[in-house]
Amino acid sequence: MNYTELCSSFARLGATFAEPDNGNLALAKRRASAENHWFDEKSVDHALASWHELLTEQNLLEWVKKEGRSEPFPEPKNIGIVMAGNIPLVGLHDLLCVLLSGHRAYIKLSSDDTALMNFVIQELSRYSPWLEERLVVVERLKEIDAIIATGSNNSSRYFEYYFRDIPHIIRKNRNSLAILTGTETEAELFEIGKDVFTYYGLGCRNITQLLLPEGMSPTHFYDAIADHFEVLNHNKYANNYTYHRALFLLNQQKHLDNNFLLLKEDSTLYSPVGCLNYSFYKNEKELERYVKDNAEQIQVIVSKGRFSFPTVLPGQAQKPALYDYADGVNTVEFCVKV
């Protein structure tokens, strides 16, 4: 095995994601929608298109070079992966990192995302039969040398206790925010709407909090995102929106409502599906303090402004590069050191 062959296998997988007449992929997509109703055709196709764009041989080999990987591969160890299932194929990056490190992946699939991940595993094993021995799907993680687990704040406590004696990456809940400067065009605000609604707001890279310059009306944002109203066509999203609207009305909570998104003034980073929090800032120093105070809960910051902390441009929250690691922890480096 060598890095060129490994990258070639993943590049073939990326190409497969764009094959409209692939019967096995079509079957996996139907099964994915059946096992998780959030995974409608639009969400699954978005995930597949994103991975198709990422998994090119050039991107993969550049990533290998950037991480300083070189042959020979180390003696493989068993790295456990507890995968999430909030958005389609969310566990694929961890799988790629483990294999890129030369190790064997022991995979605990999420019940919400088995069809697509099983398709990935089967395809990779077909392209490179030697990978079959390194892709092990299990119900319980035993005899592993390290663990990468993604879950909620509650499940993370269990993971941290259960895997306390081995090297681990334990991920908790994170959310993302957008900082408006007041100079955004209608098109840029619409792009921020994409960062809110892609995957119906279920990903850690989805915006759940807006920070507005003092004096800016949030209705300007509302007007710009009007064409995202189609999210209400998704039954589960509509149920969430309707439920929280009823709560706001019953509790007489002040809010804005454009008939598909509830906007509430609240400095809290997290907001549920169908809702978006907003608050105001006076100056950049106040922004820096907010970001610093909430660093452990922030995944991505979207803004066209330039600040002392890293940001991505509007519309780019759900387009991470291969070297954009969840929670800012370099997964390849972690695996290499096991």
Side-chain angles (χ1 to χ4, degrees):
M1 184 182 82
N2 56 60
Y3 286 111
T4 300
E5 184 180 352
L6 181 61
C7 291
S8 177
S9 295
F10 273 95
R12 285 186 65 184
L13 178 67
T16 299
F17 287 158
E19 294 176 357
D21 300 324
N22 188 304
N24 290 333
L25 178 59
L27 178 60
K29 289 170 63 175
R30 289 196 297 272
R31 287 176 173 170
S33 296
E35 71 187 11
N36 184 345
H37 295 312
W38 284 111
F39 288 10
D40 63 352
E41 184 176 4
K42 182 179 179 180
S43 290
V44 172
D45 284 345
H46 186 278
L48 293 173
S50 297
W51 279 109
H52 168 68
E53 187 176 331
L54 276 179
L55 295 178
T56 67
E57 199 148 357
Q58 180 179 347
N59 285 346
L60 289 158
L61 289 172
E62 286 178 358
W63 185 33
V64 168
K65 184 178 180 180
K66 181 180 178 69
E67 290 298 337
R69 307 304 302 132
S70 60
E71 276 91 18
F73 274 78
E75 185 67 25
K77 294 185 178 180
N78 300 332
I79 311 294
I81 307 175
V82 179
M83 292 188 171
N86 53 323
I87 66 175
L89 294 174
V90 69
L92 180 52
H93 192 262
D94 284 338
L95 180 64
L96 178 53
C97 288
V98 170
L99 295 177
L100 188 68
S101 306
H103 295 308
R104 188 180 296 110
Y106 274 61
I107 307 158
K108 177 69 173 69
L109 295 173
S110 167
S111 59
D112 290 328
D113 190 16
T114 61
L116 293 172
M117 286 308 307
N118 275 324
F119 172 80
V120 165
I121 292 166
Q122 290 163 9
E123 289 296 297
L124 289 173
S125 299
R126 185 168 66 85
Y127 304 149
S128 299
W130 56 266
L131 277 176
E132 187 171 2
E133 182 270 335
R134 300 204 174 200
L135 295 165
V136 185
V137 177
V138 296
E139 283 300 314
R140 298 190 65 183
L141 290 165
K142 299 179 179 179
E143 300 178 356
I144 55 174
D145 300 296
I147 184 76
I148 302 166
T150 304
S152 66
N153 289 344
N154 287 331
S155 64
S156 68
R157 288 192 286 270
Y158 164 77
F159 292 145
E160 285 171 349
Y161 175 79
Y162 192 79
F163 299 115
R164 63 191 183 279
D165 295 327
I166 60 174
H168 55 262
I169 293 176
I170 308 296
R171 303 193 185 109
K172 305 176 183 180
N173 291 340
R174 288 208 177 207
N175 297 281
S176 299
L177 63 94
I179 300 173
L180 303 188
T181 64
T183 63
E184 289 79 11
T185 65
E186 294 287 312
E188 287 168 334
L189 291 175
F190 180 81
E191 289 297 306
I192 291 175
K194 289 181 182 180
D195 297 327
V196 174
F197 295 114
T198 301
Y199 305 125
Y200 302 102
L202 293 170
C204 63
R205 299 179 70 91
N206 283 106
I207 293 169
T208 54
Q209 166 78 358
L210 279 180
L211 295 182
L212 310 174
E214 203 168 48
M216 179 181 179
S217 171
T219 57
H220 184 50
F221 173 73
Y222 253 167
D223 294 340
I225 65 168
D227 286 345
H228 287 294
F229 73 92
E230 62 190 29
V231 292
L232 207 62
N233 294 330
H234 192 287
N235 185 57
K236 292 178 77 69
Y237 179 91
N239 287 343
N240 275 268
Y241 162 76
T242 303
Y243 170 76
H244 289 290
R245 182 175 64 176
L247 281 183
F248 286 174
L249 292 172
L250 285 170
N251 295 327
Q252 297 184 333
Q253 285 184 289
K254 188 178 179 180
H255 66 281
L256 300 172
D257 183 0
N258 68 351
N259 295 317
F260 66 89
L261 179 67
L262 301 164
L263 216 58
K264 183 179 70 165
E265 186 171 355
D266 191 328
S267 61
T268 306
L269 185 61
Y270 167 77
S271 59
V273 170
C275 306
L276 186 65
N277 293 339
Y278 72 93
S279 58
F280 299 96
Y281 67 89
K282 294 179 180 179
N283 49 52
E284 188 169 337
K285 186 172 289 186
E286 196 170 86
L287 283 176
E288 290 175 352
R289 184 165 59 248
Y290 182 88
V291 169
K292 183 179 179 180
D293 290 346
N294 293 278
E296 293 301 311
Q297 288 88 44
I298 295 173
Q299 191 69 265
V300 177
I301 300 174
V302 174
S303 184
K304 67 175 291 186
R306 294 186 177 184
F307 306 104
S308 59
F309 42 82
T311 61
V312 301
L313 291 173
Q316 300 301 305
Q318 295 293 350
K319 297 181 179 180
L322 290 170
Y323 48 81
D324 286 329
Y325 299 101
D327 298 5
V329 178
N330 188 318
T331 317
V332 173
E333 186 177 288
F334 166 80
C335 293
V336 168
K337 291 180 179 179
V338 171

